[in-house]
Amino acid sequence: MNRDNAHLPGSLFDFGLYFYHNVHALLQNGTRPYYYLPKLEHYLEARLWNDVFRAAQSYFGVPSGTIRATVLLETITAAYQMEEILYELRAHSLGLNCGRWDYLFSYIKKFKCHDDKIAPDRSHLTMTDTPLLTAYVDRLIYICHKRGTFAMGGMAAQIPIKGDPAANDAAMARIKKDKLREVLAGHDGTWVAHPALVTLAKQVFDDYMPMPNQINKNPGLAGKDVTEADLLKLQVVPKGKAITSDGLRKG
């Protein structure tokens, strides 16, 4: 093969570069390489990554299972294969993570030509009022805890608002409410978009999850009976309020 014309997926290049430069130093420091796997749409992609992990560990002479990866579950197709994805990664898996905004985008992209699945304005697509999002969260927690692994909550995408204390307080209150929803639902952890939000999110989880995780305390049985249809269900919004010019401007 002519190396000048060779092509390599960026994800594999980034993985290899990081693993090569860090695996032995991380192990010497008592930790290991951790990865997020985003955008997976099928369990066969998880199988490919598992093969990559095994090959890399073998080549560098480190034990199988040294690498641990969390799948950022953010596509509607992957929602139907949660258990299969966990199985394919097996010893390398650290669980699943809700990726709600890209998950919604995936839903909209996949069903844009289905008249009965046209999403309403973004303001209606909340975690508590959108049936398909509730079903997705419940199912993810149930599957992860059933298999003895971690169910991570979604990202708080807000950042601190400087120069407007009232607006900042309102944003922090929304984040706190969202993290409370996550921990009460049974999530084992969460993440945020800005370092300044770590203390707030951690405090909520420390208050309501004093143990390391909720795998045994809260098995997430709400997701046991989630059906395939539930993962596609939108809330009913009156026609005149579902899609508006105001929603278009704010979107």
Side-chain angles (χ1 to χ4, degrees):
M1 181 176 66
N2 184 344
R3 277 190 261 177
D4 292 335
N5 296 319
H7 296 280
L8 178 69
S11 56
L12 294 178
F13 178 81
D14 288 347
F15 162 78
L17 195 65
Y18 178 83
F19 191 76
Y20 171 79
H21 285 289
N22 293 283
V23 59
H24 293 301
L26 289 169
L27 292 175
Q28 289 172 5
N29 289 332
T31 184
R32 64 176 72 230
Y34 294 99
Y35 293 90
Y36 261 114
L37 298 180
K39 302 293 185 288
L40 269 62
E41 296 192 69
H42 198 279
Y43 73 85
L44 291 178
E45 294 175 271
R47 181 181 296 177
L48 172 62
W49 273 110
N50 195 65
D51 290 342
V52 169
F53 293 160
R54 291 173 60 190
Q57 290 164 152
S58 175
Y59 186 82
F60 283 91
V62 298
S64 179
T66 294
I67 297 169
R68 295 299 172 88
T70 299
V71 172
L72 188 52
L73 203 147
E74 51 188 345
T75 65
I76 186 66
T77 48
Y80 288 91
Q81 301 184 6
M82 295 182 191
E83 208 152 17
E84 291 85 348
I85 287 170
L86 288 177
Y87 172 78
E88 292 296 346
L89 288 168
R90 296 198 283 289
H92 301 112
S93 175
L94 267 184
L96 303 175
N97 185 179
C98 289
R100 52 189 168 188
W101 297 120
D102 283 335
Y103 185 78
L104 277 172
F105 171 70
S106 172
Y107 177 90
I108 292 168
K109 181 174 67 174
K110 293 294 183 184
F111 295 104
K112 62 185 178 182
C113 296
H114 295 251
D115 292 342
D116 62 332
K117 293 180 175 61
I118 300 299
D121 286 349
R122 183 173 176 176
S123 61
H124 297 292
L125 299 173
T126 66
M127 295 300 294
T128 54
D129 297 328
T130 308
L132 67 90
L133 289 178
T134 301
Y136 152 67
V137 168
D138 288 346
R139 185 67 178 169
L140 185 145
I141 293 171
Y142 171 70
I143 292 297
C144 286
H145 289 179
K146 174 185 176 183
R147 294 303 178 184
T149 192
F150 305 115
M152 299 297 290
M155 179 190 287
Q158 299 90 341
I159 62 174
I161 302 172
K162 297 180 179 180
D164 192 336
N168 186 68
D169 289 346
M172 296 304 106
R174 289 193 297 272
I175 294 170
K176 184 175 181 179
K177 182 179 179 181
D178 187 54
K179 298 308 161 189
L180 181 61
R181 173 193 60 78
E182 289 181 339
V183 71
L184 293 179
H187 283 293
D188 304 295
T190 190
W191 62 329
V192 295
H194 194 283
L197 305 179
V198 171
T199 300
L200 187 157
K202 185 176 183 300
Q203 187 62 57
V204 173
F205 271 79
D206 285 346
D207 288 345
Y208 291 89
M209 192 185 76
M211 68 290 292
N213 58 68
Q214 302 194 80
I215 293 174
N216 295 318
K217 174 181 178 291
N218 187 336
L221 292 179
K224 183 178 181 181
D225 298 320
V226 169
T227 67
E228 293 180 352
D230 291 333
L231 292 170
L232 300 178
K233 188 176 181 181
L234 288 164
Q235 68 270 55
V236 178
V237 182
K239 187 174 181 179
K241 297 181 179 180
I243 302 175
T244 66
S245 56
D246 185 56
L248 181 63
R249 284 193 295 270
K250 291 181 178 179

